Amino acid sequence: MPQEHYTRSVSIQSFSSEQWNTINALGHHIDQVLDEAGIGLTMGGEPTYISDQDRDSLQWRYIALGENKRQIAGQLLRLLQQRLNKSGSLLHYGLGKLYPGEPWPRWAWGCFWRIDGERLWRNSHLLARGEIQTQYTWQTAKTFITELLRCFALPSDALIAAFDPDASVPRGFVLPFLTVAYQGQTRWQSCPWTDCEERLTLLPGEAAPLGLRLPLADIPSSEHLLEEAVPALSTPPIRPQQQRPLAPQNSIRLALTVEVRQTGLHVFMPPIASARSYVDVLTAIEATAEFLDQPVVIEGFPPPGNQGIQGFQITPDPGVLEVNIHPAASWPELVALHTTLDEAAIACGLTGQKYSAEGRCLGSGGGAHITIGGLTPDTSPLLRRPDLLRSFITYWQHHPSLSYLFAGQFIGPTCQAPRVDEGRHDNLYELELALLALSPRESVAAEVIDQLLSPLLRDVTGNSHRTALCIDKLFPVQNPQLQLGLLEFRGFEMPSATGLRLLQMLLIRAFVAWFWQQPFTRPLKRWGPALHDRWLFPYYLQQDFRAVLTDLRAAGYAFELEWFTLFWEQQFPRYGKVSLIENPSPVMELRAALEPWPVLGDVSSGAASQPVDNSLERLQISLTGVVGDTSEPEALAQRYGVFCNGYRVPMRFTGTPGHYVGGIRFRARSALSQPPSLLAPHTPLICHVIDTLQGKWVGGARYHVQPPSGDFYTTLPRTLDEARSRVSERFEPLRQGTIPSPLPSFILHPDTPITLDLRLASHKVRK
């Protein structure tokens, strides 16, 4: 597909043509800097999508699995294979992650190919599409695996029939199986399992693949054979003349299985560590399928990564479909890849945007995590220059806007991507010491990096995956299969358009180019309570983000603040504004702010989806155009008092003449029918502005969380116009108001000096 098509498609979604041309030029400039420095950066991602038509069913709200989700994933898998022009690739219907409370691993459907250009699977007609079949029986499975034994030159004694409990015919067939290296070639090996030679009774769970139901714990222990890796990809001879003897009994615990299910003949691949061995087994399976003219579904474990095989996977996550897209090495590749992905998703009825019941425009609700690394773990910039990791950790900690602008609604210590200083303030000293070892341009062993940082880059429960900058795929000492040289940025929610996601990636590419030339090694900041006070309001975050872009421009990367306008409007939507009764007329505006929502229940359980307490909300109130007979900003702030539900809001001068901002924290809803005072909602919020010098009411507004009628929204908005209508109906300008006497004073807590917390204020007044 021509590059012009991608440019046009992206610019339509989120930017004007002029803006996109400037962004695109910056992308090419950063590529040139990266290439000249020999950095070898690659970038991957995990965009998430929801159904554009079915917004209400649980599978598209918070449940991971669903039949409709599974069908759409299959459509997207095949469409992406076609549009990415991956002929000769393998469509793999395999295993995903296993989460607590779920009996079996989730499915993970992938498309894999060889990066050397050779075909991983030659005949696409021999790959079944996973559709309902009725003509196959257990004899079909036996015929297939018997022929496969000939390809492996293994005796028929290696075959084990597998039965469901109390069944009289086999469910399928099991081949204990291992690939070993012998004189530079791959050989196949099998062994008998004690007491299972004639009949093997499967574990319960008829809905699960046969390969997951093997009673491996019942097989007596013995000295196990191990797979021997062969470095290069090749194809061994099929159907060798000499049959190989069986290995000692119980010496092989891996097993390939073949069974018939409603969706066809399924071949379950065991976990094979060597890419060459995986390719050799696939070659034998395809040769068998071709000989019998028998299409198959390949399932089980996917090919190992970073050994000459690349691919993407589509997996179910709570409320969304997640696409683990393969990495790209340049800006044009990123643009082409992610535009193709989004176009295919739209063609399958998916979208990256939804609306809350109250009318807020949101992302998909899932993440859009970004990963950086190299073509191989050995060439990863993060392992070659560990100070690059130090720069990212330190700079992200210095600038809260990088943690909160792109994160979506769910932030805080128990979210999916907490900052290093959220909930673990004592962590900063130890982290600072650890970072001292990652000095610029000094070599540090990968094992040392992991030992230094992995105990510190964790959430409050000790989970190393739930952190804003995640290194559990960098070089974990205890898990060699995940030693991939990757850093994952998890604080990114799925944006609503392709161009916005590409802009996020370009931002990170610019940081890599900058930090490579000029490492960021300042001490960590101690934000203290300000992290969840000042830095949760849009005005202060925007000032911080301006500083970030100023740093990048000084380094030679001219990002414009206006490119990020859609991020600000989505993360901090304006609820409404009203002109005050003054001349010239000031304006009062209410805008959403951020509120950390704690997880309910045991966050250490590892469950993928957990409820949160979203009863508290926060908003920013601002006055613009305030003038008076004094040039002192603080005097004007005292003169024009802002009151919410009868309590005074602390308004701070921003440095711009006539501009003041303050914050309100309130309980928006309660799950109890008759809540106690501290749990009772404070809505609607009634805000007044009073000229205290003249004793004059000059304006106000009423803000509702739910419809002004007092009812509840029971459906989600279907269109943007409907969503906007719900936002506008919940904001009511007031044309008159009363002045309390006497005027109430400030009720503040020293930890939150710029926020009126209505829970604290109402409690103190009652006392």
Side-chain angles (χ1 to χ4, degrees):
M1 197 175 291
Q3 180 64 35
E4 291 79 5
H5 171 76
Y6 296 117
T7 301
R8 184 168 60 253
S9 175
V10 172
S11 63
I12 289 173
Q13 290 188 55
S14 42
F15 303 109
S16 68
S17 296
E18 181 180 356
Q19 284 178 322
W20 176 251
N21 289 337
T22 306
I23 292 170
N24 199 36
L26 179 58
H28 286 283
H29 168 62
I30 293 173
D31 266 13
Q32 182 179 358
V33 174
L34 295 171
D35 291 343
E36 290 176 354
I39 297 175
L41 176 68
T42 62
M43 297 190 75
E46 298 179 5
T48 55
Y49 302 92
I50 61 173
S51 172
D52 194 26
Q53 303 298 321
D54 180 11
R55 301 297 183 96
D56 296 319
S57 67
L58 298 184
Q59 64 182 323
W60 297 113
R61 295 178 66 185
Y62 55 84
I63 289 179
L65 302 176
E67 189 57 36
N68 177 249
K69 188 180 289 187
R70 187 184 182 98
Q71 293 173 356
I72 293 178
Q75 297 171 11
L76 181 59
L77 177 71
R78 293 186 290 271
L79 187 57
L80 279 175
Q81 182 194 38
Q82 173 190 341
R83 294 195 176 185
L84 293 174
N85 194 26
K86 296 304 179 184
S87 58
S89 58
L90 170 71
L91 293 184
H92 181 272
Y93 299 86
L95 302 174
K97 295 179 181 178
L98 175 63
Y99 288 93
E102 298 180 0
W104 306 106
R106 296 174 185 169
W107 47 266
W109 291 357
C111 177
F112 299 95
W113 57 89
R114 290 173 58 154
I115 61 176
D116 61 6
E118 294 292 326
R119 290 175 176 264
L120 187 58
W121 187 276
R122 297 179 177 276
N123 190 342
S124 61
H125 297 293
L126 294 175
L127 282 177
R129 295 166 61 94
E131 298 172 345
I132 300 298
Q133 305 284 348
T134 58
Q135 68 270 37
Y136 302 142
T137 66
W138 65 269
Q139 288 95 340
T140 308
K142 185 173 184 180
T143 300
F144 188 91
I145 199 167
T146 299
E147 179 60 31
L148 185 60
L149 283 172
R150 296 191 183 101
C151 288
F152 292 156
L154 292 173
S156 59
D157 293 348
L159 194 61
I160 303 174
F163 292 79
D164 285 320
D166 302 324
S168 58
V169 297
R171 171 66 181 262
F173 297 88
V174 180
L175 176 64
F177 180 82
L178 194 69
T179 56
V180 296
Y182 179 74
Q183 295 183 351
Q185 293 186 347
T186 298
R187 298 180 61 181
W188 291 288
Q189 194 78 60
S190 186
C191 78
W193 283 353
T194 305
D195 301 329
C196 296
E197 292 86 345
E198 298 296 330
R199 181 186 179 102
L200 180 147
T201 301
L202 297 169
L203 299 174
E206 292 189 6
L210 191 153
L212 293 180
R213 300 177 56 199
L214 302 177
L216 299 178
D218 296 338
I219 299 173
S221 61
S222 67
E223 185 174 349
H224 297 164
L225 294 179
L226 299 176
E227 178 184 336
E228 300 176 28
V230 183
L233 292 173
S234 68
T235 302
I238 301 299
R239 300 184 183 88
Q241 296 297 318
Q242 184 176 1
Q243 195 174 83
R244 301 188 181 99
L246 294 176
Q249 63 182 15
N250 303 331
S251 59
I252 298 173
R253 293 302 179 97
L254 299 181
L256 180 147
T257 70
V258 179
E259 66 174 317
V260 168
R261 299 206 298 273
Q262 282 188 325
T263 48
L265 182 68
H266 290 246
V267 180
F268 186 97
M269 297 288 286
I272 299 175
S274 164
R276 169 173 174 171
S277 298
Y278 201 100
V279 171
D280 293 343
V281 175
L282 276 182
T283 303
I285 293 172
E286 185 173 7
T288 302
E290 186 172 20
F291 180 79
L292 298 174
D293 192 23
Q294 173 62 65
V296 296
V297 177
I298 304 297
E299 62 182 12
F301 289 84
N306 286 309
Q307 296 185 35
I309 297 178
Q310 194 175 67
F312 63 86
Q313 284 187 302
I314 303 172
T315 60
D317 226 24
V320 297
L321 273 179
E322 178 179 290
V323 182
N324 294 275
I325 200 68
H326 52 287
S330 69
W331 172 248
E333 287 181 37
L334 279 172
V335 173
L337 176 59
H338 286 268
T339 305
T340 300
L341 171 60
D342 280 0
E343 289 175 345
I346 291 171
C348 292
L350 297 171
T351 181
Q353 182 173 336
K354 66 181 180 182
Y355 310 106
S356 72
E358 295 80 21
R360 286 189 60 167
C361 295
L362 307 171
S364 66
H369 308 152
I370 298 171
T371 58
I372 63 173
L375 289 174
T376 66
D378 291 340
T379 62
S380 170
L382 298 153
L383 295 180
R384 290 163 47 215
R385 283 276 303 275
D387 63 279
L388 180 62
L389 182 59
R390 174 182 179 177
S391 295
F392 270 114
I393 293 171
T394 305
Y395 197 80
W396 243 247
Q397 195 271 336
H398 273 235
H399 291 283
S401 60
L402 294 172
S403 299
Y404 295 146
L405 171 57
F406 307 110
Q409 289 185 286
F410 186 25
I411 64 166
T414 60
C415 74
Q416 292 281 339
R419 288 168 50 90
V420 295
D421 50 7
E422 275 185 310
R424 299 185 67 188
H425 300 290
D426 60 332
N427 196 42
L428 290 179
Y429 174 74
E430 296 296 331
L431 181 59
E432 212 162 45
L433 288 178
L435 293 176
L436 292 176
L438 308 183
S439 300
R441 307 186 188 282
E442 288 189 11
S443 177
V444 181
E447 297 88 348
V448 174
I449 300 173
D450 182 69
Q451 291 175 354
L452 282 171
L453 296 181
S454 62
L456 303 173
L457 298 182
R458 297 171 180 263
D459 73 355
V460 292
T461 70
N463 190 321
S464 64
H465 190 61
R466 286 178 172 166
T467 181
L469 301 181
C470 174
I471 63 167
D472 63 0
K473 295 178 184 176
L474 185 68
F475 203 88
V477 175
Q478 303 299 327
N479 193 344
Q481 291 187 346
L482 290 182
Q483 294 174 357
L484 305 177
L486 301 179
L487 172 63
E488 183 178 14
F489 296 82
R490 290 178 49 81
F492 289 89
E493 189 190 45
M494 179 68 174
S496 57
T498 316
L500 299 178
R501 190 162 76 250
L502 289 168
L503 182 60
Q504 293 173 332
M505 291 184 163
L506 187 61
L507 190 68
I508 291 178
R509 294 176 74 80
F511 281 124
V512 172
W514 175 31
F515 294 152
W516 194 268
Q517 302 294 342
Q518 188 177 353
F520 191 82
T521 58
R522 298 179 190 173
L524 300 176
K525 284 185 175 290
R526 270 63 177 177
W527 291 117
L531 185 61
H532 285 173
D533 186 40
R534 173 183 296 268
W535 297 120
L536 297 185
F537 293 100
Y539 169 77
Y540 298 104
L541 285 175
Q542 190 167 73
Q543 295 306 107
D544 179 67
F545 195 67
R546 285 180 187 272
V548 170
L549 299 190
T550 298
D551 286 346
L552 287 172
R553 282 194 291 270
Y557 311 110
F559 285 84
E560 298 293 337
L561 184 64
E562 65 178 10
W563 297 347
F564 298 86
T565 298
L566 290 178
F567 287 111
W568 291 105
E569 292 304 318
Q570 182 165 303
Q571 186 74 324
F572 308 104
R574 184 173 65 191
Y575 294 142
K577 65 178 181 179
V578 60
S579 296
L580 307 182
I581 308 171
E582 287 287 275
N583 189 21
S585 178
V587 172
M588 182 184 75
E589 177 194 77
L590 297 185
R591 188 175 288 271
L594 298 177
E595 175 65 38
W597 290 339
V599 167
L600 300 175
D602 183 8
V603 296
S604 64
S605 66
S609 179
Q610 294 180 338
V612 298
D613 178 6
N614 66 346
S615 63
L616 289 177
E617 291 188 9
R618 197 176 304 222
L619 58 78
Q620 173 180 284
I621 187 167
S622 65
L623 294 180
T624 305
V626 176
V627 296
D629 54 6
T630 176
S631 60
E632 292 295 327
E634 295 304 326
L636 282 177
Q638 292 297 321
R639 174 177 173 178
Y640 288 94
V642 178
F643 300 84
C644 179
N645 289 13
Y647 305 105
R648 190 155 189 173
V649 180
M651 303 296 291
R652 306 292 181 181
F653 179 55
T654 65
T656 300
H659 187 209
Y660 300 82
V661 297
I664 303 170
R665 192 182 191 194
F666 63 100
R667 193 170 298 281
R669 57 194 64 84
S670 177
L672 303 175
S673 58
Q674 293 182 329
S677 57
L678 282 177
L679 296 178
H682 300 107
T683 56
L685 300 184
I686 302 175
C687 300
H688 297 295
V689 182
I690 297 173
D691 183 341
T692 61
L693 181 63
Q694 300 184 22
K696 177 183 177 183
W697 184 92
V698 295
R702 182 183 290 111
Y703 169 69
H704 301 264
V705 172
Q706 294 293 336
S709 64
D711 297 328
F712 292 92
Y713 295 115
T714 58
T715 61
L716 298 176
R718 299 290 176 178
T719 65
L720 179 59
D721 287 342
E722 184 182 355
R724 288 174 173 170
S725 175
R726 293 190 183 186
V727 173
S728 63
E729 78 171 347
R730 295 187 294 107
F731 181 86
E732 297 180 88
L734 299 177
R735 301 307 176 191
Q736 59 183 359
T738 59
I739 302 175
S741 180
L743 289 175
S745 58
F746 293 106
I747 301 177
L748 300 175
H749 191 279
D751 285 351
T752 57
I754 66 172
T755 306
L756 165 66
D757 191 327
L758 289 178
R759 298 172 303 166
L760 175 67
S762 59
H763 178 70
K764 284 196 172 184
V765 168
R766 280 192 303 273
K767 289 184 67 177

